[in-house]
Amino acid sequence: MGKATRGEPQLVILLGPPGGGKGTQAKLLAEELGLVHLSTGDILRDEVRRGTPAGIQARVYMEAGELVPDELLGRIVRERLEALGPGQGCILDGYPRSLPQARYLEGIRGGTPLTVLNIEVPEEVLVQRLAGRRSCPVCGKVYNVHFSPPRVAERCDDCGSELQRRKDDQDEVIRERLRVYRETTRPVVDFYRGLPGYHEVDGSGDAAQVFEAVKRAVGILAS
Ligand code: AMP
């Protein structure tokens, strides 16, 4: 494990609860470090949209706020990691989310240096973020009705399409996702905590503030 540096093959893992801002930070950091961004949630949503066998299997779990079986995720992540070019590093956003997944990843990552960023956010903030989240089905732009609303209610600023709420951002499903996080994903934090490349970041501010903290944690900015 070590410092995340541009141009080196490496694996960065982003941990944190649903609504914790992993996706946003992963995109920013991938760009900053020139890494491939692998979001298992985005990959699964794409499989669901395309109606592939993996998507058909995953859909019921996702809509209920449950975790998709470890075997399916293991196959997806292994294939994506194998497809990386020589010397190409990546950011894993949303994986591992259970102890068996963390152990599996240890088995397949070889000697690739690891940086683990755990984004911590209080649960009240998470509920507000998830319940307020809207996204544009056409261009993918993400909004929040409380923190970053569109100029015209429920319409995308860029393309005017009607914004949508993710099926798994409905109130009951949010509660279930947070329960699954506490029970199944939280132990993954303890799995990595204490290792030299492990960093904790306060994720309760806005995206720009959190990104400053992320960059400090991985040693891109002087603190
Ligand atoms: P996300 O967009 O990261 O919140 O993921 C959306 C949903 O995809 C989750 O609620 C799970 O149902 C599923 N999912 C994503 N990543 C994983 C994973 N590593 N293990 C199991 N299920 C996952």
Side-chain angles (χ1 to χ4, degrees):
M1 304 239 266
K3 203 160 132 175
T5 325
R6 193 178 181 93
E8 275 175 23
Q10 59 184 310
L11 194 57
V12 178
I13 295 177
L14 278 187
L15 299 178
K22 291 190 300 294
T24 304
Q25 297 303 320
K27 281 191 199 108
L28 293 169
L29 194 59
E31 200 163 307
E32 181 85 23
L33 293 174
L35 300 173
V36 172
H37 173 205
L38 284 184
S39 155
T40 48
D42 285 350
I43 294 169
L44 288 169
R45 276 184 289 278
D46 185 54
E47 301 275 351
V48 170
R49 223 174 358 254
R50 291 188 292 122
T52 63
I56 292 166
Q57 193 190 348
R59 183 179 186 150
V60 274
Y61 296 97
M62 294 174 75
E63 289 184 356
E66 307 289 343
L67 292 184
V68 173
D70 291 334
E71 298 74 33
L72 179 58
L73 264 298
R75 197 162 68 233
I76 288 175
V77 168
R78 181 172 41 76
E79 282 172 8
R80 300 287 171 135
L81 292 180
E82 282 170 2
L84 293 174
Q88 177 69 69
C90 91
I91 296 191
L92 278 177
D93 158 16
Y95 188 93
R97 253 171 154 118
S98 69
L99 277 179
Q101 291 182 10
R103 295 195 189 103
Y104 180 77
L105 182 62
E106 277 307 283
I108 61 170
R109 87 175 158 92
T112 313
L114 195 62
T115 300
V116 181
L117 281 171
N118 178 29
I119 303 178
E120 292 277 12
V121 185
E123 197 157 316
E124 322 80 76
V125 179
L126 297 175
V127 172
Q128 238 192 344
R129 282 191 189 168
L130 291 164
R133 182 154 72 177
R134 302 287 183 280
S135 62
C136 174
V138 177
C139 70
K141 190 162 177 181
V142 180
Y143 300 84
N144 188 290
V145 296
H146 308 295
F147 309 115
S148 51
R151 283 194 296 273
V152 177
E154 304 297 335
R155 291 275 162 195
C156 179
D157 290 349
D158 290 351
C159 68
S161 308
E162 188 171 353
L163 300 180
Q164 286 181 350
R165 191 169 175 181
R166 264 169 55 172
K167 281 215 172 94
D168 60 352
D169 282 344
Q170 310 298 325
D171 295 350
E172 261 149 57
V173 183
I174 290 172
R175 273 195 291 279
E176 179 60 12
R177 289 166 69 202
L178 292 172
R179 187 192 66 75
V180 168
Y181 174 75
R182 280 192 300 271
E183 289 181 9
T184 312
T185 308
R186 194 73 210 174
V188 174
V189 172
D190 300 323
F191 180 90
Y192 291 112
R193 184 178 271 140
L195 297 177
Y198 174 89
H199 307 275
E200 229 155 66
V201 173
D202 174 7
S204 49
D206 66 29
Q209 288 167 334
V210 178
F211 190 49
E212 291 305 301
V214 163
K215 287 195 286 187
R216 266 198 303 279
V218 298
I220 302 172
L221 278 182
S223 38

